Structure formats: structure tokens, C-alpha cells
């Protein structure tokens, strides 16, 4: 029976992997992900979860073992953060390229240096182009639901790609929130058994990850790109089935109070709920502001972003980036938003802000400042190319 | 020339489904120097065979090891390792 409990988001994520009845957990502990794998280790040790828990000496091996396990036909889960993801990097690209539907819970944390264990999005942005499906959760319930759904999405025979669920380190991993946890019987039939069409099997030998000569490599990459783009229909279908069965709705792009909004803030992750709170408060003071969240990061929902940001009375879009593309095209998310709007006639002004780097809190006034920068841009008609870092000491 | 698959025809991620097909990939034309054995000195010890990274040495009915030039890349490991020093790398 589903029951609502107060639970730490990290534990809820581990419970979601257990609910999916994973066969293999391969992970190395790192702050702020640690509680996830600790809890899974408990569940395995106590005989509650019948899975192989592989203890490894590094994240590179954690994902290598997960990749191998996934390709034998085992449902596989891993989890990491920042430096751990950086050490996995070689295998991150190989896992998607070899079409292994590993599910990873990524507790978003700033990349070193300087050493920083707190939250931003520099880790997920560093693997933006590695071919993983990438989805953001905003609260503990979403982290639980999306981790569970990730297996159904990634393992779908038309997809067969790894899925990364992003949730903000500490801000989300370490908070205790009310979460509706499913019983096994509640989700019966939702998650079909995983079957890879070319399992590693001694009775039916195949070669996986062979040398791809110049005459083959391009075709493999094209096939992979088509696969992740096509995964969108499966993602939508899984969200729809989940909503129909369990009542909680998820979309590639979430919107809040945008019907009459002139300025909207584009967010990802836990800042979304905070931004919605700011919008509620400021609407009492007459501000017509709204929030658009890009929940699905890869495959990027170009059409949804385009239609959300050109709907109603939106005249200015402020994109909040939680990482920096050094020397690059301003904000990372901001440049994607600009791409999505490039062909749209009468597109809104798009400006970028960066905030909350390395765990710095984004305060109420900071959000207000972001929206005000949007109003300023509207007044002056100026669309600065570069991002403004909110709250940096000059 | 064999027709190469389109991205739609290619197996998932380029997985090779027939086992043992590396024999079709003949690397002998990479070679510049070829190992030549002086069989008067050879003691049939098989060190060339055991060290060859390409399995290019094959044991004949007379127990002497013969080179399969389809696969020898000419690396010269056999010539270095031969305890009788009776393999010479030569330009043919």
C-alpha cells in the first residue's frame, strides 16, 4: 500500500531503485550522494533487496561494472556527484554509446577547484553532450517518482539508453520531506522486465563495443542521435501512464503562472519551487511574473520550450544558469533557450543570469533582482550577450 | 566491394553478432619487414608462436612453425624473442 512518510530525499531515491527491483548496484560513495548507496547497501545486506551490490575502488570502475552488468541483461543502478562523475567521464560516453540503460542518480554538486561539496549544476553540464537522457527533479517526491520512471524509459526497447536523474545536492538530497512511497503491489505491471536484445551470453557470443573504423563510426553516431531524439515519445508516454495510474503529472517543460506573465524565469531543479514562491509573493505586489522549468534537459525539448516562452504576454525571458561555460556562449541553458527561439518571429528578449554557484544560497531578493533585470531589459530594449552573475562581489 | 550498412541497417551500437569474424580482418598488408626463419637453426621451441600478438605463427605437420602472412604485421617480437636468433626481419 502506498503510504506518505517523512523521508530524506536520498533515502527515497534508494527506495525507488529498490522498488524497481534492481539486480545490480555499482557505486562509490561521495558527498552528497552517500546516503543513497548507504541505504541500498543496507537493503541488500538485510535481505530486503535481492541485488548484487558491487563495491568498487573508484567511480571509473563503478560505472564500468554497471555498464557490463547492464549489458548482461541486469537492471542496474548507480549514483554519484561532481568529482565522481568527472572520474566516470570516459565510461559516461561509452555507456550511452553502447546503449546500456543504466540509471544514475546524480546528486548535483560543484566541480573542483576550489574544492566544494555544495550544490550547483557544473557536474551535469559537463556531461551535457554524452548522450544520456537527463531529467531534473525539484523535490523529494519528484526524485522518487522520476528515479522509478527512469528504468521504464531507459529500458524501453525503442530507447535502450542510460538515464540520469538530477537532484540538487544537500538542498534536496539531505532534506526530509513528505513522500508517498509505493508498495510493490501498487506499481505491479508498470515496469516490465528488462530485456536487452543482444545480451552478453556465452551461449550466443557477440562483440560489444568493437573498433568502429571510419567507414562505420559515423553511422553508429547517427543511430545514437536518432535514438535519443526518438526517446521523447517514450518519455511522454511514461509520464502520461504514470499520471493516469498514480495521479502525479510530469512534463518535459513545466510552467507556473505564465498566462498573464510579462517576465518569466527559466529554471532547472530545486530553485524552481523557490522561484514559484517568489512569484506568488510578488504577484501580491502587482508583479506579473512567471516560471518555466526545463525539466527534460536531454533530449532538449525545443518545441515545448519555444511554445511555452512565446505564449501569452511573455516579453522577456530570464534564464537562470547554475554553471558557467567559461569563455563560451554566455549561460549554458541560456544558449539552448536562445537556440529554441531563434526561428520564432517576434521572439521575446532573452537574458541570462548565473547564481547559486558552489552552494551559495539564492535569496528572495536575488530572485527579485533576476526578474527586475528582465524588466530593465524590456524598458531599455537591450539584450546583453553575456550573463550577469547575481550577487558576485565586484 | 562489400556494401556497407546504412545507420538503419547497422546492428544496435554496431554490435558484431557473428563470433570469430576477426579472421576476416587481414592485417598482413600493414607489414614492412617480414620475419624469415633459418630452419637449419630452428629448434621448434614455439617461442615465436607464444609471443606473437596476432597468432600468425602456425605449427606445421613437421612441428616447425610457419608464418601466416595474412595476419603478420611485421612487429618483430618473434625475432627479438627467438632463443636461437634464427629469425631475421627482412625487406621482401
Amino acid at each position: 500500500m502506498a503510504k506518505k512518510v517523512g523521508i530524506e530525499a536520498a533515502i527515497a531515491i534508494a527506495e525507488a531503485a529498490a522498488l524497481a527491483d534492481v539486480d545490480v548496484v555499482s557505486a562509490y560513495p561521495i558527498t552528497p550522494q552517500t546516503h543513497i548507496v548507504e541505504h541500498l547497501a543496507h537493503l541488500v545486506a538485510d535481505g530486503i533487496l535481492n541485488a548484487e551490490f558491487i563495491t568498487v575502488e573508484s567511480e571509473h570502475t563503478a560505472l564500468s561494472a554497471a555498464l557490463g552488468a547492464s549489458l548482461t541483461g541486469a537492471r542496474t543502478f548507480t549514483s554519484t556527484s561532481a568529482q565522481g562523475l568527472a572520474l566516470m567521464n570516459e565510461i559516461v560516453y561509452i555507456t550511452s554509446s553502447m546503449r546500456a540503460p543504466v540509471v544514475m542518480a546524480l546528486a548535483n554538486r560543484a566541480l573542483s577547484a576550489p574544492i566544494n561539496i555544495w550544490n550547483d549544476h557544473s557536474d551535469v553540464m559537463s556531461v551535457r553532450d554524452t548522450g544520456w537522457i537527463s531529467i531534473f527533479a525539484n523535490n523529494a517526491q519528484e526524485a522518487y517518482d522520476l528515479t522509478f520512471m527512469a528504468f521504464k524509459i531507459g529500458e524501453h526497447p525503442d530507447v535502450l539508453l542510460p538515464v540520469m536523474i538530477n537532484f540538487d545536492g544537500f538542498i534536496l538530497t539531505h532534506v526530509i520531506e513528505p513522500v508517498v512511497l509505493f508498495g510493490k503491489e501498487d506499481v505491479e505491471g508498470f515496469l516490465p522486465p528488462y530485456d536487452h536484445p543482444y545480451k552478453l551470453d556465452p551461449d550466443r557470443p557477440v562483440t560489444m563495443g568493437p573498433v568502429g573504423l571510419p567507414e562505420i563510426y559515423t553511422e553508429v553516431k547517427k543511430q545514437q542521435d536518432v535514438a535519443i531524439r526518438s526517446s521523447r515519445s517514450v518519455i511522454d508516454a511514461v509520464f502520461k501512464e504514470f499520471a493516469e495510474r498514480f495521479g502525479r503529472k510530469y512534463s518535459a517543460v513545466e510552467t507556473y503562472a505564465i498566462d498573464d506573465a510579462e517576465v518569466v524565469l527559466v529554471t532547472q531543479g530545486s530553485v524552481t519551487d523557490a522561484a514559484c514562491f517568489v512569484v506568488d509573493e510578488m504577484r501580491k505586489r502587482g508583479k506579473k511574473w512567471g516560471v518555466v522549468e526545463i525539466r527534460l534537459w536531454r533530449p532538449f525539448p525545443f518545441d515545448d520550450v519555444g511554445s511555452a516562452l512565446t505564449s501569452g504576454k511573455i516579453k522577456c525571458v530570464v534564464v537562470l544558469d547554475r554553471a558557467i561555460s567559461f569563455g563560451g556562449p554566455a549561460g549554458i541553458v541560456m544558449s539552448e533557450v536562445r537556440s529554441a527561439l531563434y526561428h520564432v518571429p517576434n521572439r521575446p528578449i532573452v537574458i541570462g543570469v548565473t547564481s547559486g554557484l558552489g552552494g551559495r544560497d539564492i535569496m528572495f531578493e536575488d530572485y527579485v533582482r533576476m526578474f527586475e533585470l528582465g524588466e530593465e531589459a524590456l524598458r531599455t530594449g537591450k539584450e546583453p550577450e553575456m550573463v550577469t552573475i547575481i550577487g558576485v562581489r565586484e | 566491394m562489400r556494401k556497407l550498412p546504412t545507420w538503419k541497417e547497422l546492428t544496435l551500437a554496431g554490435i558484431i553478432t557473428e563470433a570469430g569474424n576477426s579472421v576476416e580482418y587481414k592485417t598482413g598488408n600493414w607489414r614492412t619487414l617480414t620475419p624469415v626463419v633459418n630452419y637449419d637453426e630452428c629448434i621448434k621451441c614455439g617461442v615465436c608462436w607464444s609471443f606473437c600478438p596476432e597468432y600468425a605463427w602456425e605449427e606445421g605437420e613437421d612441428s616447425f612453425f610457419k608464418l601466416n602472412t595474412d595476419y603478420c604485421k611485421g612487429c618483430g617480437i618473434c625475432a627479438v624473442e627467438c632463443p636461437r636468433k634464427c629469425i631475421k626481419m627482412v625487406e621482401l
Side-chain angles (χ1 to χ4, degrees):
Chain A
M1 263 281 284
K3 58 175 191 277
K4 196 176 203 173
V5 296
I7 191 170
E8 192 184 290
I11 309 296
I13 289 158
E15 287 289 339
L19 181 71
D21 200 16
V22 289
D23 300 307
V24 173
V25 179
S26 175
Y28 190 87
I30 183 170
T31 302
Q33 152 267 37
T34 319
H35 293 177
I36 300 169
V37 286
E38 270 180 8
H39 189 64
L40 280 164
H42 273 300
L43 293 175
V44 173
D46 292 348
I48 297 164
L49 174 62
N50 180 21
E52 190 72 35
F53 190 99
I54 308 177
T55 51
V56 287
E57 90 300 347
S58 76
E59 282 87 355
H60 189 277
T61 306
L63 190 55
S64 298
L67 165 65
S70 177
L71 292 173
T72 66
R75 176 167 291 157
T76 306
F77 178 81
T78 190
S79 180
T80 193
S81 279
Q83 303 315 115
L85 184 67
L87 188 50
M88 283 180 178
N89 194 279
E90 181 192 20
I91 314 301
V92 171
Y93 202 88
I94 292 174
T95 303
S96 53
S97 301
M98 288 180 71
R99 309 294 295 277
V102 172
V103 170
M104 178 193 291
L106 184 65
N108 299 127
R109 161 184 155 178
L111 284 168
S112 300
I115 296 171
N116 180 298
I117 59 169
W118 295 276
N119 167 236
D120 71 23
H121 291 171
S122 49
D123 56 2
V124 51
M125 293 304 156
S126 77
V127 294
R128 184 190 64 180
D129 298 334
T130 54
W132 284 56
I133 293 170
S134 186
I135 307 175
F136 279 86
N138 306 346
N139 56 46
Q141 183 72 61
E142 292 187 4
Y144 177 75
D145 291 348
L146 290 167
T147 301
F148 182 58
M149 278 189 273
F151 293 96
K152 189 174 167 84
I153 293 167
E155 292 169 5
H156 191 284
D158 297 340
V159 178
L160 292 170
L161 285 168
V163 184
M164 183 178 292
I165 302 299
N166 295 279
F167 51 105
D168 289 319
F170 291 115
I171 294 171
L172 192 47
T173 52
H174 285 56
V175 298
I176 295 172
E177 288 186 341
V179 177
V180 177
L181 296 181
F182 292 118
K184 281 249 152 75
E185 67 286 355
D186 300 316
V187 294
E188 210 185 323
F190 183 78
L191 184 58
Y194 161 48
D195 188 27
H196 196 281
Y198 299 98
K199 280 189 281 289
L200 286 171
D201 175 359
D203 293 331
R204 204 182 54 160
V206 295
T207 305
M208 289 176 165
V211 174
L213 297 176
E215 65 202 27
I216 288 293
Y217 189 85
T218 307
E219 281 67 29
V220 177
K221 294 293 115 177
K222 166 79 180 178
Q223 190 190 63
Q224 188 183 346
D225 186 46
V226 169
I228 190 164
R229 286 176 198 283
S230 315
S231 73
R232 178 59 201 279
S233 57
V234 173
I235 295 166
D236 286 347
V238 171
F239 284 171
K240 186 162 177 273
E241 188 184 337
F242 190 89
E244 282 166 4
R245 255 188 91 168
F246 309 116
R248 287 190 293 279
K249 278 182 74 177
Y250 292 89
S251 326
V253 171
E254 308 280 0
T255 61
Y256 186 76
I258 65 165
D259 290 347
D260 62 344
E262 291 182 351
V263 182
V264 296
L265 186 68
V266 173
T267 58
Q268 285 185 309
S270 63
V271 294
T272 307
D273 289 3
C276 293
F277 175 79
V278 172
V279 163
D280 283 346
E281 291 300 307
M282 295 306 286
R283 276 181 172 263
K284 291 176 196 160
R285 301 178 215 174
K287 295 291 187 185
K288 289 187 173 161
W289 295 346
V291 177
V292 170
E293 190 211 9
I294 303 174
R295 178 189 296 290
L296 180 62
W297 178 227
R298 284 293 184 275
F300 191 80
F302 284 100
D303 292 346
D304 310 65
V305 170
S307 60
L309 295 179
T310 52
S311 66
K313 296 172 180 164
I314 297 172
K315 296 198 185 86
C316 181
V317 175
V318 185
V319 184
L320 169 55
D321 261 286
R322 306 285 317 283
I324 294 179
S325 168
F326 302 107
I332 300 164
V333 184
M334 179 212 184
S335 68
E336 302 290 74
V337 169
R338 280 191 173 159
S339 293
L341 295 173
Y342 184 77
H343 300 284
V344 179
N346 306 320
R347 62 180 180 83
I349 286 177
V350 179
I351 68 166
V353 292
T354 300
S355 192
L357 297 182
R360 187 174 294 183
D361 285 332
I362 309 177
M363 309 305 284
F364 190 96
E365 323 62 88
D366 295 327
Y367 288 102
V368 172
R369 179 78 190 125
M370 294 171 201
F371 283 104
E372 284 175 351
L373 281 174
E375 291 186 334
E376 228 170 273
L378 268 184
R379 271 198 306 276
T380 59
K382 281 190 188 147
E383 190 177 31
E385 190 186 334
M386 304 309 290
V387 295
T388 304
I389 302 181
I390 301 291
V392 69
R393 290 185 297 278
E394 298 283 1
Chain B
M1 196 172 146
R2 131 188 103 95
K3 190 184 165 291
L4 291 165
T6 67
W7 67 267
K8 286 180 189 166
E9 293 161 350
L10 198 69
T11 53
L12 185 82
I15 289 169
I16 296 169
T17 52
E18 314 91 47
N21 68 357
S22 62
V23 293
E24 291 168 24
Y25 190 39
K26 295 183 178 168
T27 51
N29 63 356
W30 297 15
R31 195 171 64 244
T32 54
L33 298 176
T34 303
V36 173
V37 183
N38 175 359
Y39 286 104
D40 294 339
E41 295 288 321
C42 174
I43 57 169
K44 306 178 180 176
C45 67
V47 165
C48 56
W49 167 83
S50 66
F51 274 84
C52 178
E54 293 296 325
Y55 305 98
W57 292 100
E58 292 163 2
E59 192 176 357
E61 279 180 16
D62 56 3
S63 301
F64 282 111
F65 290 85
K66 306 277 162 41
L67 185 71
N68 184 337
T69 52
D70 278 351
Y71 304 107
C72 173
K73 293 172 178 167
C75 70
I77 289 173
C78 52
V80 170
E81 296 297 337
C82 175
R84 300 284 295 168
K85 298 291 168 223
C86 66
I87 303 177
K88 297 274 172 285
M89 299 302 292
V90 298
E91 249 178 82
L92 289 182

